[in-house]
Amino acid sequence: MGSRLPLGERLRAELGSPGRARRLESSPRSRVWRAELSGAPVVVKQLIEGPEAADRYAREVAALRLASRADPPVVPRLLGTDPAERVLVLEYVAAGPPAEDWVVGYAEALARLHATTSTDDAATGTEDAAAGTDDAATGTEDVGLLPAWSAPTRDDVGSFLGLAQALGRTVSSAVRAELDGLMDRLSRPSGRALLHGDPCPGNDLHTGNGVRFIDFEQAALGNGLVELAYLRIGFPTCWCVTAPPQPLLGAAEAAYRTAWRRATGTDAEGDLADACVGWLLRGDALVQRAHRGTTDHLARVPDKDWRWGTATARQRLVHRLGAVGRMTTDGSGLEHLGHLATAMRDTMLIRWPGLRPLPSKRP
């Protein structure tokens, strides 16, 4: 049963007869096979019935088609689709283990992925733009193909400030004013970058020709810095959380900005500190997807710790507080928030001295 491919007559006619098939490990939301069609290796993915399955399928198909503009490629080729069965057939991409400095190539590929849709009203959005190809006209016509990225909410801010008070820290009016300004900035439409939505270790395939990304079920359009922030803030939507050493982190962020500039002809807009604070505010970024939107997870932290993947909630939160504290205490306009974040981190380390730093290497 596990090797039976969900390929209808149309896909078989288009792509060929299926041969050997082997079920691969995947999330609870999908079934994935490595197979052969007319002797060629492919990957078959089916989004299974469940909450928002049709939306997740539509996002993945749209994102893969948009991302196919990149050259060299940053995603596997989409070979065929069956919307009725929520099936995608993808090019099989042979990948190996990531290198020690994997975050540099990851960040470079992430920028090129983001740039396949983002023009910010400039004339180009892909590396083909200078040649005047049809793909050059990206940007405004891409709006609506994917949902806009969702910013943290006022409820998230309230939960974060409640945690600060539960840790014995006073929340000043200056902190509240800075957070009000931050929320105004994050809630404004900003950028049309193709956001992966879940750019975690494991959703990146490291090949001899660069990184390719897979699993675009949460794809959206927005500012690419909200995903570049993953490197500093500790991969907030991911079970596999890592904290790259500072030299690699700096090299990766520089690689992102260089690749973005090369692809778009512009500098990346926005504030990386704002993006990192946005992730700090989200209690849902302490739990796996099935548990998001169910309760105030930040409110649970003083009384309970829990493990998700390679780190616990308190480990993740201590790391994020430290990252925000370092980024916002030197003329960023979020200085008071930065001092609060540092004080909250200090309190947590005193209260729970056994908390260890996040792992610096991915498993």
Side-chain angles (χ1 to χ4, degrees):
M1 183 69 176
S3 62
R4 182 178 299 172
L5 294 176
L7 294 180
E9 292 183 5
R10 182 179 60 81
L11 282 179
R12 291 171 186 249
E14 291 176 358
L15 301 176
S17 302
R20 292 179 297 176
R22 177 169 61 89
R23 182 83 174 268
L24 304 177
E25 184 178 350
S26 63
S27 79
R29 300 177 298 279
S30 63
R31 300 187 185 100
V32 180
W33 295 261
R34 179 178 174 183
E36 291 182 357
L37 293 179
S38 294
V42 299
V43 171
V44 178
K45 178 176 179 179
Q46 182 178 40
L47 279 295
I48 63 176
E49 192 65 49
E52 303 175 339
D55 174 70
R56 290 185 285 109
Y57 177 80
R59 288 195 194 204
E60 183 145 25
V61 171
L64 286 166
R65 286 174 173 161
L66 292 169
S68 69
R69 297 166 173 167
D71 183 19
V74 291
V75 294
R77 284 184 299 127
L78 179 62
L79 303 176
T81 64
D82 182 347
E85 297 296 327
R86 296 185 297 278
V87 168
L88 308 92
V89 181
L90 300 162
E91 167 194 18
Y92 171 73
V93 175
E100 288 291 319
D101 63 348
W102 66 273
V103 292
V104 179
Y106 166 99
E108 188 270 343
L110 191 67
R112 294 197 304 107
L113 170 71
H114 290 166
T116 55
T117 55
S118 180
T119 64
D120 293 325
D121 298 322
T124 67
T126 72
E127 294 169 352
D128 294 328
T133 65
D134 290 341
D135 282 345
T138 66
T140 54
E141 69 270 27
D142 296 333
V143 174
L145 296 179
L146 286 166
W149 174 78
S150 296
T153 67
R154 298 284 173 179
D155 286 343
D156 292 321
V157 172
S159 297
F160 175 76
L161 296 181
L163 173 62
Q165 292 167 338
L167 293 173
R169 294 298 173 176
T170 300
V171 178
S172 68
S173 59
V175 168
R176 295 181 185 275
E178 288 178 353
L179 285 171
D180 284 342
L182 171 75
M183 294 302 293
D184 287 342
R185 293 192 296 275
L186 292 181
S187 62
R188 294 187 208 123
S190 175
R192 293 188 293 273
L194 172 56
L195 302 182
H196 181 284
D198 198 26
C200 300
N203 287 341
D204 55 337
L205 304 178
H206 291 256
T207 79
N209 296 313
V211 173
R212 298 202 204 182
F213 293 97
I214 58 173
D215 290 346
F216 285 84
E217 298 170 32
Q218 305 299 319
L221 298 180
N223 188 308
L225 295 189
V226 302
E227 292 191 336
L228 177 60
Y230 271 52
L231 298 176
R232 277 189 186 260
I233 211 68
F235 293 88
T237 65
C238 311
W239 76 272
C240 178
V241 57
T242 60
Q246 181 58 45
L248 281 181
L249 180 59
E253 291 176 352
Y256 178 95
R257 294 182 184 278
T258 298
W260 175 272
R261 192 178 304 112
R262 186 180 297 121
T264 67
T266 65
D267 290 330
E269 294 186 356
D271 191 317
L272 188 58
D274 280 2
C276 287
V277 174
W279 287 115
L280 171 64
L281 298 176
R282 295 177 188 261
D284 274 357
L286 296 174
V287 295
Q288 58 188 305
R289 188 170 306 283
H291 301 308
R292 294 172 193 165
T294 60
T295 191
D296 182 349
H297 296 291
L298 287 175
R300 300 168 59 202
V301 169
D303 300 318
K304 182 178 181 181
D305 199 9
W306 60 92
R307 177 167 288 277
W308 171 33
T310 57
T312 72
R314 288 174 182 164
Q315 281 179 284
R316 292 169 184 263
L317 188 55
V318 161
H319 175 81
R320 295 172 194 175
L321 289 166
V324 166
R326 289 187 293 273
M327 294 182 75
T328 58
T329 54
D330 187 17
S332 70
L334 293 169
E335 292 91 345
H336 294 92
L337 176 61
H339 291 306
L340 175 62
T342 299
M344 291 170 67
R345 178 180 182 273
D346 291 345
T347 297
M348 291 184 68
L349 290 175
I350 291 170
R351 187 175 295 188
W352 301 295
L355 291 176
R356 299 176 59 83
L358 293 181
S360 61
K361 296 183 178 180
R362 60 190 280 175

